[in-house]
């Protein structure tokens, strides 16, 4: 140990001198290099194309341009330092959906769907099938057995969407089909409120037909696939199943006829129809169980008012969305249902001024019918007046 210590001490002066000489030589060498080369300006330093990619370059220039302006820029290409002049134009595509004009058309996806996706794997392998039809029910948990029976009448070709007005959703998992259904929960709302907010035409565009049904429908004599076949066969854009004559019937038009597949007109009480091709004698279905084609729904959705949530009066105006309405609106008799008239919606109301909750709901329904008729009439008159004034 003593020999090792003395050996280290004896070498320290030599090593210190060597380090000093090396540092001195390095300083002198650096000084000489600085004299031989001009200064480098960091502000003028150019990144090669391999570092600044084409997309980064374009984005940098893009942010400097106006909506319709263009500029000629020197764009580095390749790794050999060569360059080419290119004209960059800001993207502006008026034919794109509103708000998406700045996007290249190839990336725009204006429509969507309710297809469920996985959180893993390849997106292209997510869907083993794509349902062609959509059926929606506005439901409360108390009607679960009725809805379970109804859903089982719809095949795998249908996406099932439940709108929950009572806030109870997880309990529905007692039904296996519910685990694959779409559930939307907002308390104390009507099906037309849900439809206006969650069934935009661009959301349901993938479906050929959209069923917007109440929860109190008996479906023992109904088969959804057979119903679709008859709708296609008879060219119906807006339809409903026939109603059992002895229960829950309001209009003769929706009454089931035992000797027909489909009917499109009827006879009502004297004075109810000023023409055989207008509601309620023709071009008419009720709002409890309507079925819309994709194209018809695109029109009907725009007609639904944001504040008129019960939909009363809507059934008399549906004819505005198809032409000729008396041929494209009809009732499917051979696939019929029973309206059970469960007052679930009325029970969602509140008692005001000593009135039962259902009475307040019914009064609003009637008011909405009157408001809707007035709005539609005024809108038509205003349009026709404008057309006449500009045509002269």
């Amino acid at each position: 140990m003593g020999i090792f210590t003395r050996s280290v001490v004896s070498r320290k002066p030599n090593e210190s001198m060597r380090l000093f000489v090396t540092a001195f030589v390095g300083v002198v060498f650096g000084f000489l290099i600085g004299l031989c080369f001009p200064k480098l300006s960091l502000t003028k330093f150019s990144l090669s194309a391999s570092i600044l990619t084409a997309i980064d370059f374009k984005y940098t220039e893009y942010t400097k341009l106006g909506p319709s302006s263009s500029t000629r820029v020197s764009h580095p290409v390749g790794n050999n330092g060569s360059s080419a002049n290119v004209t960059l134009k800001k993207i502006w595509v008026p034919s794109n959906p509103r708000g998406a004009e700045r996007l290249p058309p190839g990336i725009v996806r204006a429509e969507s769907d309710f297809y469920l996706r996985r959180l893993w794997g390849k997106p292209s392998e997510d869907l083993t099938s794509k349902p062609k039809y959509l059926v929606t029910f506005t439901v409360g948990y108390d009607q679960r057995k009725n809805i379970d029976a109804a859903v089982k009448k719809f095949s795998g070709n249908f996406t099932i969407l439940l709108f929950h007005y009572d806030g109870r959703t997880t309990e529905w998992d007692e039904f296996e089909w519910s685990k694959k259904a779409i559930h939307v929960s907002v308390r104390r709302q009507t099906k037309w409120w849900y439809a206006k907010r969650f069934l935009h035409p661009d959301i349901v565009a993938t479906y050929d037909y959209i069923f917007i049904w109440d929860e109190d429908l008996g479906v023992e004599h109904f088969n959804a696939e057979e119903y679709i076949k008859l709708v296609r066969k008879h060219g119906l854009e807006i339809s409903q199943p026939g109603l059992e004559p002895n229960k829950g019937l309001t209009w003769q038009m929706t009454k089931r006829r035992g000797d027909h597949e489909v009917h499109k007109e009827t006879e009502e009480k004297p004075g109810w129809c000023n023409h055989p091709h207008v509601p309620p004698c023709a071009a008419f279905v009720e709002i409890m169980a309507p079925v819309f084609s994709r194209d018809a729904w695109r029109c009907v959705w725009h007609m639904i008012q944001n504040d008129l949530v019960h939909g009363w009066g809507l059934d008399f105006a549906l004819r505005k969305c198809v032409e000729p309405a008396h041929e494209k609106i009809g009732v499917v008799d051979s696939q019929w249902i029973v309206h059970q008239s469960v007052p679930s919606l009325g029970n969602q109301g509140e008692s005001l001024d000593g009135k039962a909750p259902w009475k307040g709901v019914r009064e609003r329904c009637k008011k909405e019918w009157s408001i809707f008729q007035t709005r539609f009439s005024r809108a038509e008159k205003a349009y026709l007046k404008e057309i006449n004034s500009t045509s002269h």
Side-chain angles (χ1 to χ4, degrees), residues 31-265:
F31 178 74
L32 294 175
I33 290 294
L35 294 177
C36 296
F37 291 92
K39 295 180 180 179
L40 291 175
S41 174
L42 293 179
T43 59
K44 296 181 180 180
F45 186 73
S46 298
L47 295 177
S48 69
S50 62
I51 299 176
L52 181 60
T53 64
I55 190 169
D56 293 331
F57 183 83
K58 287 181 179 179
Y59 179 78
T60 301
E61 293 300 327
Y62 167 87
T63 59
K64 300 177 182 179
L65 304 179
S68 60
S69 64
S70 64
T71 183
R72 298 193 66 84
V73 298
S74 179
H75 183 177
V77 293
N79 295 322
N80 57 4
S82 62
S83 63
N85 288 329
V86 296
T87 300
L88 295 178
K89 292 185 177 180
K90 183 174 181 179
I91 294 174
W92 186 259
V93 187
S95 59
N96 278 357
R98 187 177 66 176
E101 295 89 350
R102 292 178 174 84
L103 300 177
I107 200 63
V108 172
R109 295 295 178 267
E111 299 173 349
S112 189
D113 54 62
F114 287 117
Y115 299 151
L116 301 181
R117 297 281 180 171
R118 304 177 302 175
L119 304 183
W120 64 92
K122 298 179 180 179
S124 60
E125 298 175 355
D126 283 349
L127 304 177
T128 56
S129 64
K130 293 183 178 181
K132 296 185 294 183
Y133 318 113
L134 173 69
V135 56
T136 76
F137 294 96
T138 300
V139 303
Y141 187 62
D142 290 344
Q143 295 300 314
R144 60 191 179 280
K145 292 183 179 179
N146 200 52
I147 293 299
D148 178 50
V151 167
K152 290 176 179 177
K153 293 290 184 174
F154 294 87
S155 69
N157 278 330
F158 289 81
T159 293
I160 307 298
L161 170 57
L162 301 187
F163 295 124
H164 299 270
Y165 60 75
D166 62 354
R168 302 175 68 179
T169 57
T170 56
E171 293 96 328
W172 288 82
D173 280 351
E174 67 182 85
F175 305 111
E176 191 62 30
W177 55 262
S178 176
K179 299 174 183 178
K180 296 181 180 180
I182 309 298
H183 297 265
V184 175
S185 178
V186 184
R187 293 176 183 271
R188 286 187 168 185
Q189 299 302 321
T190 72
K191 72 175 181 180
W192 298 109
W193 184 93
Y194 297 113
K196 186 64 174 179
R197 287 149 183 84
F198 299 102
L199 300 182
H200 188 281
D202 288 344
I203 297 296
V204 300
T206 189
Y207 302 106
D208 294 342
Y209 293 94
I210 299 99
F211 292 59
I212 303 180
W213 282 19
D214 289 352
E215 63 180 340
D216 59 343
L217 304 176
V219 293
E220 182 181 355
H221 306 284
F222 179 81
N223 180 286
E225 291 286 353
E226 292 300 317
Y227 184 92
I228 293 294
K229 290 179 182 178
L230 291 170
V231 165
R232 293 187 189 277
K233 176 181 176 181
H234 293 273
L236 299 180
E237 296 290 318
I238 300 175
S239 63
Q240 75 161 79
L243 293 179
E244 164 60 41
N246 299 320
K247 191 172 184 179
L249 186 69
T250 303
W251 306 99
Q252 288 298 310
M253 178 63 185
T254 57
K255 179 180 178 179
R256 172 184 173 250
R257 298 181 183 177
D259 57 346
H260 284 65
E261 280 188 341
V262 165
H263 73 269
K264 301 179 181 180
E265 58 185 30

Side-chain angles (χ1 to χ4, degrees), residues 307-327:
D307 57 332
L308 307 183
V309 296
H310 289 288
W312 277 39
L314 192 63
D315 37 16
F316 280 79
L318 295 176
R319 63 192 180 99
K320 300 292 184 176
C321 285
V322 293
E323 182 66 33
H326 66 280
E327 293 182 5

